[in-house]
Amino acid sequence: QISTPFNISLDFEIAPFFKRLVAYFLDLMIMVAYAVFMRYFLYSGLQLEGESAMGIDILLVSVPLLLYHLVFEIIFHGQSLGKMAMGIRVMSMDGGDPAISQYLLRWFFRVWEWPLVFSFVYPGFWIIYQLIIVGIFGIIVIIIIAVTAKNQRLGDLAANTAIVNTHIQSSIHDTVFMEITQKDYQVKFPQVLKLSDRDINTIKTVLNQTYKRNNFETAYRIAGRIKTVLGIESDMEVDLFLEQLIADYNYLATRE
């Protein structure tokens, strides 16, 4: 249960551990496949060697591997390729997409994996040593996930996020963004600018849940709360009212 900024709770299913584990190994396989392909291309295709080769290796292989989870989760709204395949995603504990600062915090707490990324640059025993270190820390992470109430690792606890189970395909329509193409668009609720991006994201999350479950109870409650806070009087259907708020916000915010 996640409490939104409007003091209304939303229910999400915590992602099962086996899904997180499979997603992790899928991502690892993708990263290894990328590293193998790029190194074959650099050393066998381009015949690179010497110190310059190591610098290019770090730039084109190690750095992308290092940023893989951060970049994918930001672009795809809490999902890496492995998480997409397993139908799970990162969600802020206020019910919306995490802020970039939250993604950064989660990524920073993956520091225990970073030595493995760079160990490929130095072959031999160094890789075995790093595998042992990463394995030990990996066991600690599993224990932390097992004992926390919402199955959060340290990065999730620090960033106030959780991994939830979802079968909804993420797209640009699941975010705050909504393209307004009407040239003569009329704003109905200018008060909406008093809300933040996170508030609008929460409204979008409520709408998604409303349509998915065909249950309008939460939508009625959050609409009533918004009307009280913003001083709005409207007899629009609750889903149309919330959609209008999102559209007005996008129209006004993009013209500031």
Side-chain angles (χ1 to χ4, degrees):
Q1 193 173 73
I2 293 176
S3 181
T4 72
F6 299 102
N7 297 319
I8 293 174
S9 296
L10 301 176
D11 292 329
F12 295 92
E13 180 186 353
I14 294 295
F17 177 73
F18 82 91
K19 282 194 172 186
R20 297 178 67 169
L21 190 63
V22 173
Y24 177 83
F25 280 109
L26 286 175
D27 286 326
L28 185 61
M29 289 171 61
I30 291 169
M31 294 166 70
V32 170
Y34 172 80
V36 170
F37 171 79
M38 286 300 296
R39 290 204 167 98
Y40 177 81
F41 174 73
L42 292 174
Y43 297 109
S44 297
L46 300 182
Q47 301 292 319
L48 295 181
E49 56 184 28
E51 292 185 2
S52 62
M54 183 175 292
I56 294 174
D57 188 300
I58 292 175
L59 181 64
L60 297 183
V61 182
S62 293
V63 171
L65 294 181
L66 188 66
L67 299 177
Y68 169 83
H69 285 281
L70 176 64
V71 171
F72 270 89
E73 288 181 0
I74 290 176
I75 293 176
F76 295 103
H77 314 294
Q79 291 185 304
S80 61
L81 294 177
K83 289 184 179 71
M84 286 182 198
M86 297 309 298
I88 61 178
R89 60 169 293 194
V90 182
M91 177 169 283
S92 176
M93 292 300 292
D94 66 6
D97 283 349
I100 291 180
S101 59
Q102 290 174 289
Y103 285 124
L104 282 168
L105 263 177
R106 294 189 77 257
W107 172 75
F108 178 78
F109 275 85
R110 302 187 79 100
V111 64
W112 61 276
E113 298 176 342
W114 296 356
L116 185 59
V117 171
F118 287 100
S119 67
F120 289 106
V121 179
Y122 307 98
F125 177 76
W126 182 254
I127 294 181
I128 298 174
Y129 173 75
Q130 294 293 51
L131 279 171
I132 294 172
I133 297 299
V134 170
I136 292 173
F137 279 101
I139 293 172
I140 295 173
V141 169
I142 291 173
I143 293 172
I144 293 172
I145 291 173
V147 300
T148 52
K150 296 181 176 66
N151 301 133
Q152 296 164 291
R153 60 180 178 84
L154 284 179
D156 288 316
L157 291 170
N160 197 33
T161 57
I163 307 294
V164 298
N165 202 23
T166 175
H167 297 290
I168 300 175
Q169 292 294 322
S170 293
S171 70
I172 199 167
H173 302 294
D174 299 321
T175 69
V176 171
F177 179 79
M178 176 187 291
E179 187 175 5
I180 307 298
T181 57
Q182 282 180 254
K183 293 182 179 180
D184 57 346
Y185 182 84
Q186 297 294 320
V187 174
K188 289 188 170 129
F189 307 115
Q191 307 97 312
V192 73
L193 278 184
K194 294 180 182 178
L195 302 179
S196 66
D197 281 354
R198 186 159 294 184
D199 295 332
I200 299 298
N201 210 338
T202 300
I203 295 171
K204 185 66 176 177
T205 301
V206 170
L207 268 177
N208 286 341
Q209 284 203 337
T210 297
Y211 293 140
K212 179 183 176 183
R213 300 175 181 176
N214 198 28
N215 185 336
F216 286 75
E217 181 181 348
T218 303
Y220 276 112
R221 283 190 289 142
I222 200 170
R225 176 70 174 161
I226 291 169
K227 289 176 182 179
T228 300
V229 170
L230 299 183
I232 292 175
E233 293 185 6
S234 173
D235 57 359
M236 292 176 67
E237 293 292 335
V238 64
D239 55 332
L240 297 179
F241 171 71
L242 296 179
E243 287 183 357
Q244 184 67 47
L245 284 176
I246 297 171
D248 286 352
Y249 184 86
N250 275 271
Y251 181 85
L252 293 171
T254 55
R255 280 154 180 79
E256 282 192 333

